[in-house]
Amino acid sequence: MTKWSPCPASATRDFRVTSTSDLQTPNETLSDTSEGTLTPDSSYSDLIRMADALGVISAGQLAIINGGGARPDTLVLQCVQIKPMASQQNQERYRVVMNDSCNFIQCMLAQQYNSLITNGKLTKGSLVRVTQYQVNFVKDKNILILLDVEILEEYGQPEKLGQPVALENPQPGGMVESKPQPGNISGDNMYGAKPQQPAQQRQLPSRTNASSNGGSAHGNIHPIEALSPYAHRWTIKARCTHKGDIKTWHNKNGEGKLFSANFLDDSGEIRATGFNDAVDSFYEMLQEGSVYYIASPCKVQLAKKQFSNLNNDYELTFERDTQIEKAEDMDGVPQVRYNFTSLADLQTVEKDNTIDVIGILQEVGEVGEIVGKTSSKPYSKRELTLVDNTGYNVRLTVWGKIAQDFDAQPETVIAFKGLKVSDFGGRSLSLLSSGTMNMNPDIDEAYKLKGWYDGSGRNEQFQSHANTMSSVAASGPGDRNAYKTIAQVRDENLGMGDETDWFSIKATIIYVKQDNVAYPACLTDSCNKKTVEVDPGQWRCEKCDKTWDRPDYRYIMSVNVSDHTGQIWLSCFNDVGLAIMGLPANDLMQMRDEGDERKVTEAFAEANCKTFVFRCKAKMDTFQDQQRVRYQVQYANPLNFSLEAKKLTDMIAKYSISDNSLFVQ
């Protein structure tokens, strides 16, 4: 009969096999009259595996940790129960119960290790080596946050080791003695849940690897993953990956200001917000890309997901006494962390989800402006087109200052973090205010994408998610690479409905209307409002409340274009006008002011007979009490002859020429 040394009351010795002399053959079964884990069905091989497991398990260590004693760097525990727990945004978290053969304790598994459960590596009975953990005091008892674990597969999944009992509620002043009692399962089906007893809450120090300590002056460094409303006296060392603009509010309760920033360490990301005094204290101090120590007091609360795109159930709020210090040592803190979704996979992403995307910039639209429905404030926007090596393109909108200052050239590799998915046009993307954009990032995905585009991608044809069932869509309304003829635009009544219709046409300019070809704009960056000459040499902008000695002329023109099916009038703004005319509007207006009509006439003549691919929107407009459809050009690109040839060959291939074809082979 095999006998085990019982777990001592002090729970300080290993739980070991002391005799195996009675073991005779592999087929012999064993029995044990005492309450425990051996049954008449336990086989020789089960016993040997259990004996090996008992030799490595960290017997009695849970009681020492629970009593506030010295904490080992590594624990070997057995998993005895796994239970999923509800979390925000359908991101599953798992609660597990661990056993050290003397006691069991409730634990929470870090999200990055969820795959161990879903792929079946971590199951009931598995032995786990825990190399990093955090102790949190919740509802009068301790729980472990398992931050770094390793499955010891060589020990299999033995039956429950030892006769573990629930830990006593932590008591101030020393170790809690573990009293033998039958293990139980509470009403919520978790081991160790006992009726709550009054207990004095105490502060528990954190345990981290020495390499993560930023120095003794900052104490122990907590990983972001371990932060929760129940954690006290913590310090994190993290990189500021994004800092938003200062925003103000005014309402019946008063006024104020706020800003938000995102922080990253090797365990995860978290959003932090500062209000009023915190804005004055921390906004200028925090710089994107730098690493900081952030220490409590700092409020940890449930994240407001409508304002954050981070994968964290919690967020921080800076308080008056929050301590923030720049870290000179940036080792061990990663740069921006991406979780890219390919453009082809967008059709599997639900609307309003937040994702990261990397792609090649194919087209850049002109800056536009919309007015918010609720705030009635103007917002700048710019539309981009991205492609990647999955054969898809997507329309992406950037806003505000990013839209105004956007200066990337086509064929640039851009990584976006924090894009909101929309179902407009099948699938489209929008950069959130908390999102970031990185041009030509120094990451493997960028080099791979650039190599593909330079090798073959530049000549490929891309499809959009508006018509994912067809590889070469002829007239899909959301396909940005499929051209419509002018006759199709009219026959399909584009722009006649309530919604704006988008289309692309390949057409040649046959006439540029020369009256009112440009307007005098304000010189203020991003204003572009019309100025009025109040006196000779005095041009006033009402919006900026400024007067200039000269205006900045910007194109606003009408052009007549034609293809083999008909003609159509298009409205164009400054960027498109510059591409058509080939010179700035200031130069053209100077020619007129100087009376050089010959050069003006030549400039308009040069614009004729140019062929472009026009990306247009059609929408119903009212002019002089009459409704009409207005066709406005968002951008115009010169012909890419290699791409045009590829489209023609694909079109020919669709005819599937056979022996009885009318085509000559």
Side-chain angles (χ1 to χ4, degrees), residues 89 308-310 349 352-356 418-421 432:
Q89 282 197 331
S308 175
N309 60 293
L310 301 184
V349 180
D352 296 331
N353 277 5
T354 303
I355 62 172
D356 304 338
L419 294 172
K420 184 177 180 180
V421 179
L432 298 173

Side-chain angles (χ1 to χ4, degrees), residues 410-611:
E411 303 188 3
T412 300
V413 180
I414 307 181
F416 293 90
K417 184 175 182 63
L419 294 172
K420 184 177 180 180
V421 179
S422 168
D423 58 1
F424 178 78
R427 279 293 183 270
S428 58
L429 303 172
S430 179
L431 184 64
L432 298 173
S433 59
S434 59
T436 59
M437 176 181 69
N438 190 1
M439 301 180 190
N440 295 318
D442 187 16
I443 56 178
D444 293 341
E445 292 89 345
Y447 292 113
K448 179 180 178 181
L449 204 58
K450 186 63 174 175
W452 157 79
Y453 192 77
D454 290 341
S456 62
R458 184 178 287 106
N459 300 322
E460 290 187 14
Q461 183 179 11
F462 301 93
Q463 57 180 320
S464 76
H465 289 282
N467 190 1
T468 57
M469 300 304 294
S470 173
S471 60
V472 184
S475 60
D479 192 341
R480 301 171 70 88
N481 289 299
Y483 301 151
K484 290 187 178 295
T485 64
I486 292 176
Q488 284 179 315
V489 172
R490 299 189 186 280
D491 293 343
E492 295 176 11
N493 295 322
L494 297 185
M496 299 291 287
D498 295 333
E499 300 294 331
T500 300
D501 292 320
W502 293 84
F503 63 92
S504 297
I505 59 172
K506 180 172 65 175
T508 302
I509 297 173
I510 59 177
Y511 181 73
V512 179
K513 191 175 181 180
Q514 301 184 18
D515 297 334
N516 300 322
V517 72
Y519 74 96
C522 177
L523 289 173
T524 302
D525 291 340
S526 74
C527 176
N528 299 333
K529 294 298 183 180
K530 184 177 180 179
T531 59
V532 179
E533 189 175 21
V534 293
D535 289 309
Q538 298 292 313
W539 298 83
R540 179 168 179 76
C541 174
E542 294 296 337
K543 177 184 177 183
C544 298
D545 194 21
K546 292 182 179 180
T547 301
W548 308 94
D549 57 356
R550 63 176 180 83
D552 178 29
Y553 282 98
R554 296 176 62 84
Y555 285 115
I556 178 169
M557 58 171 54
S558 295
V559 298
N560 190 250
V561 300
S562 173
D563 65 6
H564 64 287
T565 66
Q567 302 176 6
I568 195 171
W569 282 95
L570 303 177
S571 298
C572 308
F573 293 104
N574 191 63
D575 290 349
V576 178
L578 185 59
I580 293 173
M581 298 300 297
L583 76 165
N586 285 327
D587 294 352
L588 183 66
M589 298 306 293
Q590 184 177 355
M591 295 177 191
R592 282 191 167 176
D593 292 341
E594 294 174 352
D596 196 344
E597 291 298 329
R598 183 179 64 83
K599 287 187 177 181
V600 173
T601 302
E602 289 177 354
F604 281 105
E606 286 290 329
N608 290 333
C609 300
K610 290 183 178 179
T611 301

Side-chain angles (χ1 to χ4, degrees), residues 123-306:
T123 61
K124 182 178 179 180
S126 299
L127 261 69
V128 178
R129 178 181 289 114
V130 182
T131 57
Q132 189 174 1
Y133 59 92
Q134 171 70 40
V135 181
N136 277 4
F137 187 74
V138 183
K139 295 182 179 179
D140 297 328
K141 63 183 177 183
N142 289 326
I143 66 170
L144 293 186
I145 309 297
L146 307 182
L147 302 173
D148 193 6
V149 299
E150 176 188 354
I151 308 301
L152 304 180
E153 298 181 3
E154 61 269 26
Y155 296 101
Q157 293 84 32
E159 295 293 327
K160 184 177 66 176
L161 301 176
Q163 301 178 35
V165 296
L167 291 166
E168 291 290 336
N169 287 345
Q171 300 291 335
M175 184 186 306
V176 177
E177 181 175 343
S178 179
K179 299 180 180 179
Q181 57 180 328
N184 57 7
I185 300 178
S186 68
D188 63 356
N189 207 28
M190 295 301 299
Y191 277 94
K194 301 175 67 180
Q196 294 188 9
Q197 301 174 0
Q200 179 179 347
Q201 182 170 332
R202 56 186 175 80
Q203 306 299 334
L204 296 173
S206 304
R207 187 207 72 86
T208 59
N209 295 331
S211 60
S212 67
N213 290 350
S216 59
H218 300 96
N220 292 316
I221 305 301
H222 277 55
I224 287 177
E225 176 71 22
L227 292 179
S228 75
Y230 311 107
H232 303 283
R233 299 186 62 181
W234 50 262
T235 300
I236 62 172
K237 181 182 179 183
R239 187 183 304 277
C240 179
T241 58
H242 170 76
K243 183 179 74 170
D245 297 331
I246 297 177
K247 300 179 181 179
T248 59
W249 77 85
H250 305 269
N251 56 34
K252 61 181 180 179
N253 297 322
E255 60 184 29
K257 56 186 176 181
L258 64 89
F259 82 99
S260 296
N262 296 342
F263 293 92
L264 166 74
D265 70 4
D266 57 0
S267 72
E269 293 179 271
I270 196 166
R271 176 176 180 260
T273 303
F275 295 89
N276 299 324
D277 292 343
V279 177
D280 300 330
S281 300
F282 304 130
Y283 186 79
E284 295 299 331
M285 175 192 303
L286 296 173
Q287 299 297 326
E288 290 185 5
S290 296
V291 176
Y292 298 88
Y293 294 105
I294 303 175
S296 57
C298 184
K299 187 177 182 181
V300 184
Q301 60 188 9
L302 287 174
K304 299 178 178 64
K305 292 298 183 180
Q306 66 270 33

Side-chain angles (χ1 to χ4, degrees), residues 329-401:
D329 178 17
M330 298 188 182
D331 294 341
V333 182
Q335 300 288 338
V336 178
R337 177 180 295 169
Y338 294 102
N339 184 19
F340 291 123
T341 299
S342 69
L343 300 189
D345 290 338
L346 288 180
Q347 56 188 325
T348 65
V349 180
E350 293 294 329
K351 175 188 175 184
D352 296 331
N353 277 5
T354 303
I355 62 172
D356 304 338
V357 162
I358 187 170
I360 299 287
L361 181 63
Q362 187 183 50
E363 298 173 354
V364 181
E366 186 177 349
V367 176
E369 190 175 271
I370 64 172
V371 178
K373 293 182 179 180
T374 57
S375 65
S376 298
K377 295 181 179 179
Y379 296 95
S380 299
K381 58 175 290 190
R382 187 190 293 265
E383 292 184 353
L384 314 175
T385 301
L386 291 183
V387 300
D388 70 2
N389 53 3
T390 62
Y392 278 81
N393 65 17
V394 69
R395 180 168 62 86
L396 189 155
T397 304
V398 294
W399 303 87
K401 187 172 175 50

Side-chain angles (χ1 to χ4, degrees), residues 1-4 17-23 30 32 38 47 51:
M1 180 70 63
T2 297
K3 303 178 179 64
W4 283 274
V17 175
T18 59
S19 172
T20 56
S21 60
D22 293 334
L23 302 180
L30 305 168
D32 193 347
L38 295 180
L47 181 62

